[in-house]
Amino acid sequence: MSEPGQNLAVPAGPGLPSGATIPAAELVERFSRSPGPGGQSVNTTDTRVELLFAPATSTAFTDAQRARLLRNLAGVMTQGQVSVVASEHRSQLRNRIAARDRLVALLREAAAPPPPPRRPTKPSRASQRRRVEAKKQLGRTKALRGRVRDE
């Protein structure tokens, strides 16, 4: 959990061997009225939080990490920025923390390298033979299911 207004720490993981620290100056928080829980107070206080981050200009990542982030976040970005919204809590502070946690999870997932490609395999000759035998046996069983005739 990271405190709002401070640098955002992204823990180490796949693609981020030593983690990353995003300076607070690279994060933009916007507040607005939330449609979520809170009753009348929600209509008068700005509890909804929108956290904006531009990975292309960030100094927290290496060039390779930045390229992978931009490639993996291309569908999420608008005007070069990643936007994360939180409005599920009644307090602005809790929504700020939730938005920061969501951004960290999004960045960790986007920074991970792609999985190794699948190596295609062939079924063994014995397994092919067993499959065909099972099909034949099922066919013989079904052939015995004809109508019963009274003669």
Side-chain angles (χ1 to χ4, degrees), residues 57-74:
T57 58
S58 178
T59 59
F61 302 101
T62 64
D63 289 336
Q65 292 169 343
R66 192 175 304 108
R68 188 179 301 133
L69 282 173
L70 291 172
R71 186 173 57 249
N72 292 339
L73 292 174

Side-chain angles (χ1 to χ4, degrees), residues 17-91:
S18 57
T21 303
I22 300 171
E26 293 182 6
L27 299 171
V28 177
E29 287 181 319
R30 293 196 305 206
F31 308 102
S32 60
R33 292 188 181 162
S34 173
Q40 292 176 341
S41 66
V42 128
N43 299 330
T44 59
T45 57
D46 294 338
T47 56
R48 179 181 178 268
V49 177
E50 184 179 11
L51 184 62
L52 301 170
F53 172 65
T57 58
S58 178
T59 59
F61 302 101
T62 64
D63 289 336
Q65 292 169 343
R66 192 175 304 108
R68 188 179 301 133
L69 282 173
L70 291 172
R71 186 173 57 249
N72 292 339
L73 292 174
V76 182
M77 292 196 319
T78 351
Q79 298 175 350
Q81 292 187 324
V82 176
S83 173
V84 177
V85 177
S87 63
E88 65 270 9
H89 299 290
R90 290 174 67 164
S91 82

Side-chain angles (χ1 to χ4, degrees), residues 62-143:
T62 64
D63 289 336
Q65 292 169 343
R66 192 175 304 108
R68 188 179 301 133
L69 282 173
L70 291 172
R71 186 173 57 249
N72 292 339
L73 292 174
V76 182
M77 292 196 319
T78 351
Q79 298 175 350
Q81 292 187 324
V82 176
S83 173
V84 177
V85 177
S87 63
E88 65 270 9
H89 299 290
R90 290 174 67 164
S91 82
Q92 186 187 85
L93 177 64
R94 288 181 62 192
N95 281 332
R96 290 174 78 183
I97 292 170
R100 291 170 75 91
D101 290 344
R102 252 183 240 150
L103 180 63
V104 165
L106 187 68
L107 292 175
R108 283 193 68 183
E109 185 179 326
R118 179 187 170 277
R119 291 176 51 195
T121 57
K122 270 174 63 174
S124 68
R125 193 172 285 161
S127 71
Q128 288 176 350
R129 191 170 40 249
R130 284 192 302 269
R131 184 177 62 82
V132 170
E133 279 303 315
K135 288 172 68 124
K136 286 180 182 175
Q137 179 59 40
L138 192 59
R140 288 191 291 265
T141 303
K142 287 186 173 188

